[in-house]
């Protein structure tokens, strides 16, 4: 989980200490935030192989302009069918 304002490069450094990484690597990595990358669906040098930022987002907690907090996430095909019905 990453909070608003988290610097992309610092998150990357923290992940690397656990042998993991956030694949897209936008060229602005040193000064952009993970939230900005999500909002832009940023891609980068490794996106041909791994995909863009949206491929690595499990869910979002979003504060709407009216103050309401919503949570988003991917639906299974069964959940989607149920929701559409
Ligand atoms: C030199 C340079 C190189 C770049 N290289 C790349 C690249 O290789 N690939 C690429 O895809 N893009 C690139 N970009 C574009 C951009 O910097 C990236 O897409 C970056 O990930 C955006 O992150 P940011 O933190 O700078 O966002 P910002 O520019 O600060 O914000 C972008 C948008 O996201 C919104 N936002 C930010 N944080 C949140 C949040 N927590 N919740 C909701 N909304 C939020 C802002 O309101 C704004 O609308 C580059 C830009 C520059 C200047």
């Amino acid at each position: 989980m990453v909070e608003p304002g988290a610097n992309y490069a610092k998150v990357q450094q923290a992940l690397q200490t656990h042998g993991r990484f956030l694949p897209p690597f936008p060229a602005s990595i040193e000064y952009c935030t993970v939230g900005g990358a999500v909002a832009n669906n940023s891609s980068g040098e490794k996106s041909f192989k791994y995909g863009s930022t949206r491929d690595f987002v499990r869910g979002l907690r979003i504060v709407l302009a009216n103050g309401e907090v919503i949570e988003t996430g991917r639906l299974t095909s069964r959940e989607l069918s149920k929701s559409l019905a």
Side-chain angles (χ1 to χ4, degrees):
M1 184 181 287
V2 178
E3 294 185 343
N7 173 263
Y8 200 122
K10 287 190 175 154
V11 170
Q12 201 70 287
Q13 284 167 11
L15 288 171
Q16 280 167 357
T17 64
H18 299 281
R20 303 200 176 251
F21 65 101
L22 188 55
F25 282 91
S28 51
I29 189 169
E30 291 300 328
Y31 46 84
C32 75
T33 62
V34 174
V38 170
N40 281 301
N41 187 28
S42 295
S43 56
E45 63 186 68
K46 299 193 189 301
S47 290
F48 274 122
K49 181 171 183 182
Y50 295 107
S52 58
T53 302
R54 66 183 296 173
D55 298 309
F56 302 94
V57 177
R58 276 206 179 149
L60 299 170
R61 180 176 298 155
I62 300 171
V63 182
L64 301 179
N66 66 1
E68 185 187 353
V69 179
I70 63 166
E71 303 219 1
T72 71
R74 289 175 191 250
L75 299 176
T76 62
S77 51
R78 179 178 286 186
E79 288 168 335
L80 179 61
S81 302
K82 194 175 168 187
S83 181
L84 290 174

